[in-house]
């Protein structure tokens, strides 16, 4: 699980009732916002730490059990694809009022899945079957997709618009800190016992579930769309997710819905699931976020695997890549901690444009990198400057998305960015094999030039305008 970034052409969406901003609309839900923000940070950091610790040793476990690299790649590919496909679908119940329940039970299911792997490794002669491992990974990945989809709308419901950069930066810092500590901790635990990294992952999910359960804010978005109001009024189960456990009264009486055919039900579900895509397509701000995050995620994945291929070809083992990850994570943590202060002092448009242009020489320099320290320094440069742009874009995207579409719009952005990151390694490998190790870095630098040009014109036009809280970007 973890944090991620966040229109509707066919369906009209009202951001908030007239005269109410997103902050005032949720004042009654945020009696203890600071406490809930800390709990959400804790849930995210614990989840990220456990996922990093177990994720780094899962390929080692499969290889150690005698499975081929093809099987390892299949498990990784299927689990990634599962999350990308399920995210937009699971976002529908999260946006319609079941956010806290989805987050809590997803964490519980993930804890049980990883706990079963730990028990199998510790008890069943240390050799669980491939079916067991694959099932556990897919169950955990499915539950993670559910959690991430629901969590994307949580930031807007526990934070005021002015505090969004600080909240987003806290989530970024938790992810970066886990990137530094998680792989090293997972590796040390794996040396002591193959079961321990998965015990840590299961415990981290328990911590996440406890933190979510302890949050007192009502994580239901206001049902501002007529269809959402009707659904909330006729679905008593959704009301149980309020802060005090009591159902919220419907805003107006609604007649019972007419029975739907199976085809009509599936059509309605597809229309709801695609509402986030329609919102992103129709909103210039979210389109900018989509293009920027998707391009940068793909470029970083391609550059990382290019570094892996190059270091391996030059006789370096796994330790140098650990050094690269550690330096990158430390730089990213520093950048995340500094981002809130910089956001307050800098123009959003100028900051995003500056970061976009500064990434180009870093990518080009990777074409001439020779050793792990050089790679670590250059990747550290990426991770040091990126949080500033990421925090600005995330905060603006959250502020510019209607509360009832936070999860669905966020799933669209996350699916696009995740898809780019999944395809980039294969493209990097093809370029390295057929054109040389320097070509992927140069190609990425060229892509970043195009992104910087697009951002220079798009960010100046979009980010300089005020975004109505819970409304559409200009």
């Amino acid at each position: 699980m973890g944090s991620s970034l966040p229109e509707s052409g066919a369906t009209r969406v009202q951001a908030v009732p007239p005269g109410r901003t997103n902050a005032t609309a949720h004042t009654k839900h945020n009696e203890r916002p600071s406490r809930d923000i800390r709990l959400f940070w804790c849930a995210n950091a614990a989840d990220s730490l456990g996922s990093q610790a177990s994720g780094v040793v899962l390929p080692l476990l499969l290889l150690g059990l005698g499975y081929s690299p093809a099987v390892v790649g299949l498990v990784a590919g299927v689990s990634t694809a599962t999350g990308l496909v399920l995210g937009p679908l699971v976002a529908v119940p999260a946006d319609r009022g079941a956010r806290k329940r989805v987050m809590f039970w997803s964490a519980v299911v993930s804890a049980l899945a990883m706990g079963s792997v730990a028990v199998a490794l510790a008890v069943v002669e240390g050799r669980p079957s491939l079916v067991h491992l694959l099932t556990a990974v897919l169950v955990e990945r499915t539950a993670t997709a559910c959690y991430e989809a629901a969590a994307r709308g949580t930031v807007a419901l526990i934070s005021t618009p002015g505090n969004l950069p600080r909240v987003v930066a806290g989530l970024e810092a938790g992810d970066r800190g886990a990137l530094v500590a998680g792989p090293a901790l997972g590796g040390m635990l794996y040396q002591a016992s193959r079961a321990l990294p998965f015990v840590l992952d299961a415990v981290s999910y328990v911590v996440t579930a406890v933190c979510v359960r302890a949050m007192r804010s009502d994580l239901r978005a206001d049902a501002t769309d007529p269809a959402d109001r009707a659904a909330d009024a006729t679905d008593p189960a959704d009301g149980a997710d309020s802060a005090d456990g009591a159902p919220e009264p419907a805003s107006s009486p609604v007649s019972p819905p007419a029975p739907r055919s199976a085809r009509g039900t599936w059509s309605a579900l597809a229309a709801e699931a695609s509402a986030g895509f329609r919102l992103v397509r129709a909103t210039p701000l979210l389109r900018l976020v989509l293009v920027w995050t998707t391009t940068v995620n793909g470029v970083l994945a391609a550059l990382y695997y290019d570094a892996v291929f190059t270091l391996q070809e030059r006789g370096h083992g796994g330790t140098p890549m650990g050094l690269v990850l550690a330096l990158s994570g430390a730089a990213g943590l520093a950048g995340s901690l500094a981002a809130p202060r910089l956001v307050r002092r800098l123009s959003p448009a100028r900051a995003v444009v500056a970061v976009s242009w500064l990434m180009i020489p870093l990518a080009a320099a990777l074409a001439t990198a020779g050793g792990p320290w050089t790679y670590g320094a250059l990747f550290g440069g990426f991770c040091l400057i990126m949080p500033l742009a990421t925090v600005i874009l995330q905060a603006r995207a959250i502020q510019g998305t209607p509360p009832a579409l936070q999860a669905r719009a966020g799933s669209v952005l996350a699916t696009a960015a995740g898809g780019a990151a999944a395809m980039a390694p294969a493209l990097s490998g093809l370029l390295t094999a057929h054109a040389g190790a320097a070509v992927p870095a140069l190609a990425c630098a060229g892509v970043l030039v195009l992104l910087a040009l697009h951002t220079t014109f798009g960010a100046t036009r979009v980010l300089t305008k005020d975004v109505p809280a819970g409304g559409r970007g200009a």
Side-chain angles (χ1 to χ4, degrees), residues 1-3 44 47-48 51 103 106-108 110-111 140-141 143-145 147-148 175 205 208:
M1 302 180 215
S3 62
N44 176 75
D47 169 30
S48 298
S51 297
M103 292 168 65
S106 297
V108 170
S110 295
E140 189 263 352
R141 183 60 248 179
T144 295
Y147 180 95
E148 290 174 347
D175 287 339
Y205 284 125
T208 298

Side-chain angles (χ1 to χ4, degrees), residues 101 120 127 274 453:
R101 282 175 290 166
R127 190 176 179 85
S274 64
L453 290 171

Side-chain angles (χ1 to χ4, degrees), residues 101-420:
R101 282 175 290 166
V102 169
M103 292 168 65
F104 174 78
W105 288 111
S106 297
V108 170
V109 170
S110 295
L112 293 174
M114 291 296 99
S116 74
V117 174
V119 170
L121 288 169
V123 178
V124 190
E125 300 179 357
R127 190 176 179 85
S129 68
L130 180 61
V131 173
H132 180 186
L133 287 173
L134 183 59
T135 301
V137 169
L138 289 181
V139 168
E140 189 263 352
R141 183 60 248 179
T142 301
T144 295
C146 298
Y147 180 95
E148 290 174 347
R152 287 184 190 106
T154 302
V155 175
L157 300 174
I158 64 175
S159 172
T160 58
N163 202 31
L164 282 175
R166 173 175 167 266
V167 178
V168 172
L171 297 174
E172 284 280 320
D175 287 339
R176 299 296 180 175
L179 182 61
V180 176
L185 182 58
M188 288 189 295
L189 292 175
Y190 188 75
Q191 292 297 322
S193 169
R194 293 192 300 183
L196 286 180
F198 301 95
V199 172
L200 174 63
D201 200 11
V203 171
S204 75
Y205 284 125
V206 172
V207 172
T208 298
V210 171
C211 290
V212 170
R213 192 76 169 186
M215 293 173 67
R216 298 178 184 176
S217 295
D218 184 358
L219 300 184
R220 297 179 64 215
D222 282 348
T224 56
D225 182 76
D228 287 333
R229 286 200 301 268
D232 288 342
T234 56
D235 187 358
D238 283 348
D241 202 37
S242 62
D244 57 1
E248 290 191 359
S251 56
S252 58
V254 180
S255 302
R260 288 180 177 176
S261 64
R263 181 177 179 181
T265 301
W266 282 108
S267 298
L269 177 61
E272 286 196 73
S274 64
F277 171 76
R278 296 195 301 271
L279 183 63
V280 173
R281 183 183 61 185
T283 307
L285 171 63
L286 297 184
R287 288 202 306 270
L288 174 65
V289 176
L290 176 71
V291 171
W292 202 93
T293 56
T294 301
T295 304
V296 170
N297 270 29
V299 163
L300 285 181
L303 290 173
Y304 172 77
Y305 277 89
D306 182 39
V308 171
F309 300 146
T310 303
L311 289 173
Q312 184 179 21
E313 182 182 345
R314 295 175 182 175
H316 298 285
T319 303
M321 285 314 302
L323 172 65
V324 172
L325 288 175
L327 291 174
S328 301
L333 178 59
S336 299
L337 294 175
R341 182 175 299 177
L342 294 175
V343 167
R344 290 194 297 268
R345 295 183 177 183
L346 301 176
S347 159
R350 290 180 180 177
V352 174
V353 168
V355 170
S356 301
W357 285 104
L358 287 173
M359 289 190 295
I360 298 171
L362 294 173
L366 284 169
T368 61
W373 284 103
T374 306
Y375 277 109
L378 292 173
F379 276 107
F382 270 107
C383 295
L384 181 65
I385 64 175
M386 275 179 50
L388 175 59
T390 301
V391 166
I392 290 172
L393 293 174
Q394 279 190 351
R396 285 301 185 101
I398 292 170
Q399 188 179 355
T401 302
L405 284 174
Q406 287 278 342
R408 280 171 279 184
S411 293
V412 171
L413 301 180
T415 298

Side-chain angles (χ1 to χ4, degrees), residues 60-90:
L60 300 178
L61 172 64
L62 291 171
L63 293 172
L65 293 174
Y67 298 111
S68 67
V71 171
V72 177
L74 176 65
V75 172
V78 170
S79 63
T80 300
T82 300
L84 294 178
V85 170
L86 287 178
L89 295 177
V90 177

